[in-house]
Amino acid sequence: MSAYVNKSAAAPDAEIPISMPTVRMTDLRARGEPFTWALGGALALGCLMIISFLLMVFWNGVTTFVPKDVAVVTSADGTVTAGEPSRTELYKVQPEILQTLKPEVQQAIKDNDGFASRTLYRTGNYDIYNEDFRWVSDYEVAKTEMPADILFAERVEWGPLIARLKSMNIDGQQIEPVDIGNAAFREAHTAARDRRARIAQIEKDDIGRINHKLEELRLDVRRAELKSGRDSPAHVAAQRELEERSKALEVEYKVLADEAARLRDINSRNTATFVEIGGREKQMAMDAIVRIYAANNLDLVDNIGIYISRWWEFVSDEPREANTEGGILPAIFGTAAMTLLMVIAVAPFGVITALYLREYAKQGRLVAFVRISVNNLAGVPSIVYGVFGLGFFAYVLGGSIDQLFYPERLPNPTFGTGGLLWASLTLALLTVPVVIVATEEALAAVPRSMREGSLACGASKWQTIKYIVLPRALPGIMTGIILAMARGAGEVAPLMLVGVVKLAPELPIDGFFPFVHLERSFMHLGFHIFDVGFQSRNSEAGKPMVFVTTMLLIGLIFIMNITAIMVRNKLKRKFKGSQF
Amino acid sequence: MNMDVQTLTFDDTIYHVKKGGQGTVLEINTLNLWYGAAQALHGVTMPIEKGLVTALIGPSGCGKSTLLRCINRMNDLVDGLKITGEMKLQGENIYARGADVIALRKRMGMVFQKPNPFPMSIFENVIYPLRVDGVTDKTILEETVERALKGSALWNEVKDRLQDSALGLSGGQQQRLCIARAIAGDPEVLLMDEPCSALDPIATAKIEDLINELTGHYTIVIVTHNMQQAARVSDNTAFMYLGRLIEYGDTETIFQTPKSPRTQDYVTGRFG
């Protein structure tokens, strides 16, 4: 304390009090440097984790579709394995196996604390081997080759095929030996694939249309029965109509089904015979081969071509093989549609609520209570919203809608089960607190002078809100909506209860009236990740897809957010230069 | 100021009001105002002459802004406000039960301390009072803009960029735009709450010239901190102190031979 004693004051005799300058120490703790370092360090750690997470997802996602070499490994005991090396790890060798090994190998493993390294090969040929992957210990390996004629084929079922091509059989005509670069092979393969696409088109679109019409007619009959009673004139007329029209439709159906059968027959007579590395033969139809290439004999152009064609298939096609292969177009579509619907629902609802709370409600205990409740809603686990969505939206609301508008379809539910609309509304409910809080803040930030200026001009409160307050608060409201979108698009748990499925047979938008089918269940990227990674037959095969799908989900959310942020910045620019 | 507030005694207000010849437009009668428990205005009685400029002066916190904001009921926005007494605009009590506040504000214009143009074009700013009335006739709107901007001496500077954002104008221009907005609705009374306090001397001079030009066309009530400004622009001046109207009258008399010693102290710079 002596530092603060004015020395001149201690000497009462002095005529003129002279204040002596005292040296006041500021120690390191007071300056706050250690805290600055701690704060900066925490930030750096956070950034590092996020960046490494993104890098990992991005790297794995980007490299998944690169064609890999196929190694042919000959073991010391003569077994041959052909496959893509997938990863290498150290493992502890079992003692009973260790004893069977050669002394020098045993010694080497002992020197390494009992560990040996092994490599996981993706062998494919699930239909022949009953497994997709095989471990090969490094000490077993006698010889590793990269033969140029070994082929890697992606198939519509059974996963990849790794084998050599033996012969080709077109309409009973045996052609051998062939290689895949051969023009005849390519032509036959392309023709078979085209026929397959045509069959799919006939079955899905043309026959689908006939089935849709038949279903409509059947519903008309049921509707007439419900409305006018069984055997009433209207009911009988509808039944007669069904009989007449269905005859014509059945003729149409027959033509299409015959055409599909004819194409299928041609395809079954166009086959290729492969020999896997162990010598077993496998004959398969050409149209079952999605893509085939000589894995060890690719130049850069081939590599890029395969890479791009795989990506294109991924983003533009439907999944196959229990979602572990093929594309994820329905999931991309479902995620985007659900998020947009959610925004359409949450934005007006949240903004109107916040407007009333901030501008009109008398600020008292009740409003404070409502505000606390809204904030607490943001902390409720999302699965709870899922349960509520299923119970209230799907069963109560959807059930009532079915009773009122779709009685002819009962007991099959239309809206009375999970679907796109209910999922969007559930997520809207989940994210509405975010929008309310952000909107309230934005409204509170509108300068008082603006409101007063408007009121002084004779504007009513509503006119002031409409012309002055809302436009001015719009960037802040947009921020809230962006946050809500980011939260909603990444949410999976509640969706599993209210409409997300592993495989949706139809997109929510198609060519049948009313074109947008909000009651349909849909696919979602987040759920797709969970399903592929943990629910599929072979999680090892699904792992790369997990990363690609994650990357795509992040990308989708990124794109949606960037769009919203650009809109917001455009609005903000409008208010730049306003001095308050 | 070292007077003990509690023991202050106040005489009645001294009046020597200069008449404008057109009668009074606004009559304030024993107006008392409380913010919660604190009384901010004590029995203010004050007639405002039509067509003249009336300045309200006084030290900070004397209630001059509060009085001004009572005239167009801007104080209604404040919670816990209580008012007694009456205020009559052309004989109609502003604070009567069931009085239409919005209709009242449409008869007045107000200019605030800081320029507060809306984030819209210059054109839209000026016609805002007409917009809220639902006027859409283009010729009327264009005529109003020209009249109001000429009235606020801004027309020549902005006539070629009426569709530009008002936020691109300088501070002084923005304040003149706010004056244009205030007179666009042809108000009976123009209220100005320290309109020059956020402006530089040149912009201030322009606004003062403008006020002088508007004299006669509009009744203006102006609150100002700047005594020179009050002396320059006003016909009548009211000196307020601690929520009371001390002296109200002819500006020349107030500044040269004030009747109240308190006014004398204030205008000569002894306190305030």
Side-chain angles (χ1 to χ4, degrees):
Chain A
M1 74 156 269
S2 63
Y4 295 97
V5 174
N6 189 329
K7 290 190 179 127
S8 62
D13 297 342
E15 259 176 47
I16 306 159
I18 302 166
S19 87
M20 297 291 288
T22 52
V23 180
R24 296 177 54 201
M25 296 293 293
T26 307
D27 75 357
L28 196 60
R29 264 182 313 165
R31 284 185 205 274
E33 249 106 25
F35 303 106
T36 316
W37 281 103
L39 298 177
L43 176 67
L45 192 69
C47 288
L48 198 72
M49 288 197 291
I50 290 171
I51 289 169
S52 41
F53 156 74
L54 283 178
L55 273 182
M56 185 195 77
V57 168
F58 192 71
W59 177 250
N60 279 296
V62 164
T63 54
T64 296
F65 291 139
V66 174
K68 292 177 191 68
D69 289 341
V70 171
V72 175
V73 181
T74 313
S75 304
D77 62 359
T79 47
V80 188
T81 306
E84 291 177 338
S86 153
R87 62 193 156 94
T88 302
E89 66 172 30
L90 284 176
Y91 77 110
K92 188 120 188 163
V93 183
Q94 300 286 323
E96 55 269 26
I97 293 174
L98 195 60
Q99 275 157 22
T100 64
L101 299 176
K102 283 185 212 153
E104 61 264 31
V105 175
Q106 280 192 26
Q107 192 53 46
I109 291 171
K110 267 183 198 143
D111 289 348
N112 207 9
D113 290 335
F115 284 97
S117 83
R118 61 180 179 180
T119 304
L120 184 66
Y121 288 93
R122 185 185 195 190
T123 59
N125 305 355
Y126 188 83
D127 43 343
I128 306 172
Y129 302 156
N130 276 327
E131 59 180 3
D132 267 327
F133 288 84
R134 189 179 296 162
W135 285 106
V136 177
S137 300
D138 285 1
Y139 59 77
E140 291 178 283
V141 176
K143 192 171 59 165
T144 304
E145 292 167 297
M146 299 281 181
D149 60 342
I150 197 100
L151 300 176
F152 185 96
E154 290 164 42
R155 301 180 287 180
V156 291
E157 51 188 15
W158 299 115
L161 174 85
I162 295 178
R164 292 190 171 89
L165 184 60
K166 186 183 168 222
S167 63
M168 188 164 85
N169 192 326
I170 291 174
D171 287 333
Q173 202 184 336
Q174 191 88 356
I175 306 170
E176 67 180 314
V178 288
D179 80 283
I180 54 160
N182 191 310
F185 179 85
R186 285 192 177 254
E187 223 168 80
H189 181 223
T190 313
R193 291 296 293 166
D194 287 349
R195 279 192 293 272
R196 190 183 181 87
R198 175 78 191 119
I199 294 169
Q201 196 194 356
I202 288 171
E203 287 181 342
K204 205 170 167 230
D205 297 351
D206 301 343
I207 295 182
R209 194 167 298 123
I210 291 171
N211 284 337
H212 184 256
K213 275 183 199 153
L214 275 174
E215 180 66 19
E216 287 285 289
L217 288 170
R218 255 179 236 122
L219 289 174
D220 281 343
V221 172
R222 177 83 182 123
R223 206 175 284 129
E225 186 185 334
L226 284 175
K227 201 176 163 198
S228 323
R230 177 169 276 275
D231 298 328
S232 65
H235 182 214
V236 174
Q239 264 175 329
R240 196 174 307 123
E241 165 115 13
L242 169 66
E243 275 161 31
E244 279 166 20
R245 299 269 311 271
S246 63
K247 260 178 214 144
L249 288 171
E250 262 157 35
V251 172
E252 225 177 295
Y253 170 82
K254 191 90 177 45
V255 173
L256 290 168
D258 286 349
E259 171 71 2
R262 186 182 67 83
L263 293 171
R264 208 171 261 129
D265 183 53
I266 300 175
N267 267 355
S268 69
R269 281 181 285 115
N270 283 308
T271 60
T273 308
F274 294 91
V275 187
E276 61 91 37
I277 204 74
R280 277 173 281 182
E281 282 192 11
K282 166 81 185 172
Q283 188 182 26
M284 57 186 286
M286 294 277 255
D287 68 319
I289 302 168
V290 176
R291 195 180 287 109
I292 186 162
Y293 59 88
N296 299 329
N297 194 21
L298 295 174
D299 57 21
L300 187 65
V301 178
D302 297 335
N303 269 319
I304 292 172
I306 291 165
Y307 185 73
I308 290 173
S309 93
R310 277 176 169 174
W311 262 112
W312 177 243
E313 185 195 359
F314 185 67
V315 295
S316 69
D317 223 334
E318 287 178 11
R320 53 189 161 80
E321 291 273 332
N323 291 355
T324 57
E325 302 273 338
I328 53 164
L329 180 68
I332 298 174
F333 189 88
T335 311
M338 187 211 67
T339 311
L340 285 180
L341 269 177
M342 180 198 79
V343 169
I344 290 170
V346 78
F349 188 53
V351 171
I352 288 169
T353 311
L355 259 182
Y356 186 80
L357 269 184
R358 172 64 60 182
E359 300 286 333
Y360 287 102
K362 196 167 156 49
Q363 306 295 319
R365 266 193 207 163
L366 184 67
V367 167
F369 177 74
V370 169
R371 207 167 271 147
I372 290 171
S373 308
V374 165
N375 286 331
N376 277 339
L377 272 184
V380 173
S382 54
I383 192 78
V384 174
Y385 285 95
V387 173
F388 175 79
L390 184 71
F392 179 70
F393 288 135
Y395 292 164
V396 176
L397 262 186
S400 317
I401 290 174
D402 281 0
Q403 295 281 346
L404 282 175
F405 299 106
Y406 303 98
E408 71 276 8
R409 299 194 190 184
L410 287 172
N412 288 341
T414 309
F415 277 98
T417 179
L420 185 59
L421 180 66
W422 301 142
S424 305
L425 289 185
T426 305
L427 282 192
L429 207 63
L430 177 88
T431 51
V432 82
V434 181
V435 178
I436 291 178
V437 170
T439 306
E440 273 213 71
E441 305 259 305
L443 292 175
V446 174
R448 200 190 155 91
S449 64
M450 289 267 224
R451 295 165 196 266
E452 287 185 345
S454 170
L455 290 173
C457 286
S460 66
K461 186 161 187 172
W462 169 240
Q463 284 173 322
T464 302
I465 290 173
K466 190 168 66 169
Y467 293 131
I468 306 294
V469 177
L470 266 187
R472 174 85 195 195
L474 212 50
I477 296 173
M478 285 295 293
T479 305
I481 293 173
I482 291 166
L483 287 174
M485 239 166 75
R487 167 130 200 238
E491 199 63 68
V492 177
L495 299 181
M496 289 156 77
L497 299 179
V498 288
V500 156
V501 287
K502 181 187 172 79
L503 191 65
E506 295 154 306
L507 288 181
I509 292 179
D510 63 16
F512 298 119
F513 183 82
F515 309 118
V516 181
H517 306 272
L518 297 178
E519 79 282 5
R520 281 187 188 162
S521 50
F522 63 106
M523 290 176 72
H524 186 271
L525 285 171
F527 181 72
H528 195 83
I529 293 170
F530 170 71
D531 179 61
V532 169
F534 307 100
Q535 305 286 296
S536 59
R537 160 174 71 88
N538 192 336
S539 63
E540 193 71 45
K543 211 192 280 176
M545 295 300 266
V546 169
F547 285 108
V548 191
T549 314
T550 308
M551 193 170 91
L552 215 69
L553 179 58
I554 293 174
L556 193 71
I557 294 173
F558 184 75
I559 289 171
M560 287 196 284
N561 279 357
I562 283 288
T563 318
I565 286 170
M566 281 190 330
V567 172
R568 184 186 61 185
N569 288 352
K570 209 174 159 192
L571 289 171
K572 262 191 188 160
R573 220 168 300 136
K574 209 169 131 193
F575 303 115
K576 215 171 72 179
S578 157
Q579 34 156 280
F580 292 103
Chain B
M1 198 165 72
N2 47 17
M3 284 177 279
D4 187 2
V5 176
Q6 296 300 316
T7 61
L8 272 182
T9 53
F10 287 93
D11 304 322
D12 289 340
T13 312
I14 301 166
Y15 295 97
H16 43 85
V17 184
K18 181 170 154 188
K19 297 287 175 193
Q22 300 179 56
T24 56
V25 63
L26 190 75
E27 271 177 84
I28 303 168
N29 261 333
T30 54
L31 192 79
N32 290 299
L33 181 144
W34 289 264
Y35 288 125
Q39 191 168 3
L41 291 178
H42 299 260
V44 173
T45 300
M46 184 177 170
I48 307 266
E49 288 294 309
K50 192 170 182 184
L52 296 188
V53 179
T54 306
L56 299 175
I57 61 168
S60 295
C62 69
K64 53 192 192 301
S65 277
T66 300
L67 181 62
L68 187 81
R69 293 164 68 86
C70 276
I71 298 175
N72 68 348
R73 291 190 64 169
M74 253 334 176
N75 281 330
D76 287 13
L77 304 177
V78 179
D79 285 335
L81 188 89
K82 205 185 118 198
I83 290 175
T84 64
E86 59 175 18
M87 189 180 279
K88 283 184 178 166
L89 179 67
Q90 312 268 39
E92 216 178 292
N93 190 2
I94 292 171
Y95 283 95
R97 197 177 288 270
D100 186 350
V101 182
I102 293 171
L104 166 76
R105 289 186 187 139
K106 285 184 182 170
R107 295 165 67 183
M108 306 194 182
M110 188 165 188
V111 180
F112 295 82
Q113 273 192 29
K114 283 185 185 167
N116 59 350
F118 303 134
M120 320 166 169
S121 69
I122 294 168
F123 188 87
E124 285 292 328
N125 258 285
V126 177
I127 60 157
Y128 189 77
L130 280 72
R131 272 270 185 260
V132 299
D133 288 347
V135 178
T136 50
D137 186 334
K138 222 167 168 229
T139 42
I140 295 180
L141 295 179
E142 278 167 1
E143 275 169 17
T144 307
V145 168
E146 187 169 344
R147 174 178 57 78
L149 286 174
K150 277 181 176 162
S152 69
L154 192 61
W155 176 251
N156 288 332
E157 290 161 63
V158 300
K159 64 179 177 207
D160 299 324
R161 48 181 176 129
L162 291 176
Q163 296 309 323
D164 289 5
S165 169
L167 304 177
L169 298 173
S170 73
Q173 287 174 323
Q174 288 191 357
Q175 192 63 305
R176 275 182 285 151
L177 179 68
C178 291
I179 294 175
R181 189 175 69 197
I183 62 178
D186 236 337
E188 291 162 43
V189 182
L190 190 55
L191 308 172
M192 293 183 159
D193 190 359
E194 301 187 37
C196 302
S197 65
L199 302 180
D200 62 72
I202 295 171
T204 302
K206 276 192 182 165
I207 302 274
E208 285 180 11
D209 287 347
L210 178 58
I211 294 172
N212 279 327
E213 274 172 43
L214 293 175
T215 318
H217 301 290
Y218 297 100
T219 309
I220 298 176
V221 183
I222 178 169
V223 166
T224 179
H225 248 110
N226 181 332
M227 280 181 278
Q228 284 78 27
Q229 185 173 65
R232 279 195 299 266
V233 302
S234 69
D235 301 296
N236 278 316
T237 298
F239 172 61
M240 293 182 70
Y241 180 59
L242 294 179
R244 285 167 174 85
L245 183 61
I246 305 296
E247 184 169 350
Y248 175 40
D250 175 30
T251 300
E252 228 166 88
T253 316
I254 292 261
F255 282 100
Q256 280 161 15
T257 52
K259 310 278 191 246
S260 158
R262 283 211 179 86
T263 316
Q264 170 93 32
D265 286 351
Y266 184 71
V267 297
T268 52
R270 216 163 291 166
F271 82 96

